[in-house]
Amino acid sequence: MAASGEALTPQGYIQHHLTNLTAGEGIWTWHVDSLFFSVGLGVLFLWVFRSVAKKATTGVPGKLQCFVEMIVEFVDNSVKETFHGKNALIAPLALTIFVWIFLMNFMDMIPVDWLPELAMAMGVPYLKVVPSTDLNITFSLALGVFLLIIYYSIKVKGVSGFAKELTLQPFNHKAMIPVNLLLESVTLIAKPISLALRLFGNLYAGELIFILIALMYGTNLALSALGVTLHLGWLIFHILVITLQAFIFMMLTIVYLSMAHEDH
Amino acid sequence: MNIGITLLWQTLAFAIFVWFCMKYVWPPLLAAIEERQKKIADGLADADRAAKDLELAQAKATDQLKEAKASANEIIESANKRKAQIVDEAKAEADAERAKIIAQGHAEIEAERNRVKEELRKQVASLAIQGAEKILERSIDPDAHSDIVEKLVAEI
């Protein structure tokens, strides 16, 4: 139910939910809520995992350690299956991406009104709870991956090797260099963009549907009952979506970095 | 939905998170996991080895049991053989002894009979002499007529 003054109409309600808490103007705009939640979740992830890692026993593990180890092993296996080089960064990177994105996506499962209403009560006018519905966040992750792709491409193949890869494929002929460059650049740029937009699109759509379902609660009893059913169904389905999206982001990161390491 | 400075801050946070994870989270966790995997693998290998050892020991025990049975049978058989032998020997000895005793008896009987015969002969002789004395009513000088007496004795 929309309790804010401006959000009495459905449009206003949706609009309110999709507005970030901002500070600053134009390009210098800080999305305070996205940063707060994403960094907070990142710190939570690192804190939990670090505390488990510090106490990690080789004997019989506790339940939390088991859980953490399951995730770590799952990520480790995924990395080992896909990435055949030797690189100490890839696996921790994949773990960070997987868990962090999962946690950010998980914010989607919290009923859409809880945290914004709470913030409203504390005098914060806008609050967008799910960081991965913010393009800034998804693009920042993709940007990090993109920079690593470029870094490792140059590190493994050298500048000339990387340049050759960009210019002499797929048509190995001097006259085709511009065409190759165009094609390869698009391929290269498409990687981070597809990463960012896929995550953003899925979560944004999911969040929007949660908001639409939440709209039904404000009307009458029958619609509210239907809303509860829909909410439950979408929530259960969304458990799959958020995990899958985190997994896809992680897998593609591994694949891209593995490709960056391959010398043709 | 505008892209802004948030993106850069977020990228920085991402980099720091990855660095921290790589430095402080991943290595100890993976080390613990790998250590435990090794322990479990060792344990399983030990269990396998123990099972194999047990199997070997059982086979060995069965073999030894079989061997022991065989040697027991052998001993029993040889004991039986020995028993039969002893019994045979004893029988033979007893037969010999019996034969000897019988032979001795026969000899004694023979000797006794001879002695008795002699005695009888003598008595008969003396009887004959007494009878003759009575008939002749005079005594015969045994010395003077010993040849006659002896002849008589030999005839009896």
Side-chain angles (χ1 to χ4, degrees), chain A residues 27 31 50 59 69 136 140, chain B residues 4-6 10 24 35-36:
Chain A
I27 194 85
H31 287 183
R50 173 67 189 155
E69 281 181 1
N136 284 294
S140 72
Chain B
I5 192 71
T6 309
Q10 181 72 15
Y24 298 109
E35 178 79 29
R36 179 148 4 86

Side-chain angles (χ1 to χ4, degrees), chain B residues 52-67:
Chain B
K52 214 176 276 172
D53 282 354
L54 180 66
E55 211 171 283
L56 275 177
Q58 272 172 344
K60 211 171 167 189
T62 316
D63 275 1
Q64 275 177 348
L65 203 64
K66 224 182 269 174
E67 228 167 80

Side-chain angles (χ1 to χ4, degrees), chain B residues 124-148:
Chain B
V124 169
S126 73
L127 274 177
I129 289 166
Q130 279 170 2
E133 269 175 353
K134 278 194 179 141
I135 294 166
L136 299 176
E137 284 186 334
R138 63 164 177 107
S139 75
I140 300 166
D141 182 8
D143 292 331
H145 306 283
S146 64
D147 54 332
I148 300 171

Side-chain angles (χ1 to χ4, degrees), chain A residues 27-31 35 38 42 46 49-50 57-59 65 69 73 76 89 91-92 96 100 136-137 140, chain B residues 1-7 9-11 14 17-18 20-22 24-26 28-29 32-33 35-37 39:
Chain A
I27 194 85
W28 302 107
T29 307
W30 290 48
H31 287 183
L35 278 173
S38 61
L46 288 177
F49 274 55
R50 173 67 189 155
T57 160
T58 57
Q65 193 187 336
E69 281 181 1
E73 247 193 309
D76 194 39
L89 175 75
T96 310
W100 196 20
N136 284 294
I137 304 300
S140 72
Chain B
M1 212 41 59
N2 35 4
I3 301 284
I5 192 71
T6 309
L7 191 152
W9 285 120
Q10 181 72 15
T11 311
F14 179 43
F17 288 165
V18 170
F20 186 89
C21 182
M22 186 175 139
Y24 298 109
V25 173
W26 188 266
L29 277 175
I33 291 173
E35 178 79 29
R36 179 148 4 86
Q37 275 176 336
K39 259 189 196 173

